[in-house]
Amino acid sequence: MLRSEKKIGQNKLAEDIEVSNASISYWETGKQLPSAEAIFKLSQYFEVPADYLLGLIDWD
């Protein structure tokens, strides 16, 4: 959702947080869960708390 809202492609996100394109796809389709390190990178990248990414809190 964050990626789409900011109009960032999977390839760009993968490059920016240094993971594979497949990882982004797997996370988004629920085939795989991101590692703690990836969650940390995503929270920094999108400037949201990790708890938001984990679905533990709402964030506006």
Side-chain angles (χ1 to χ4, degrees):
M1 184 173 90
L2 290 170
R3 186 181 64 74
S4 295
E5 286 175 4
K6 296 190 183 278
K7 296 180 176 36
I8 299 167
Q10 286 185 347
N11 294 339
K12 171 76 171 134
L13 178 58
E15 182 181 311
D16 288 348
I17 66 166
E18 300 174 333
V19 298
S20 70
N21 296 346
S23 290
I24 303 295
S25 178
Y26 291 156
W27 300 340
E28 290 183 355
T29 59
K31 292 182 181 178
Q32 195 175 68
L33 295 174
S35 67
E37 180 182 359
I39 291 170
F40 177 74
K41 287 180 178 183
L42 287 165
S43 71
Q44 288 188 315
Y45 187 83
F46 289 113
E47 298 178 332
V48 297
D51 283 352
Y52 173 72
L53 297 175
L54 296 169
L56 301 174
I57 63 170
D58 291 329
W59 188 259
D60 290 53

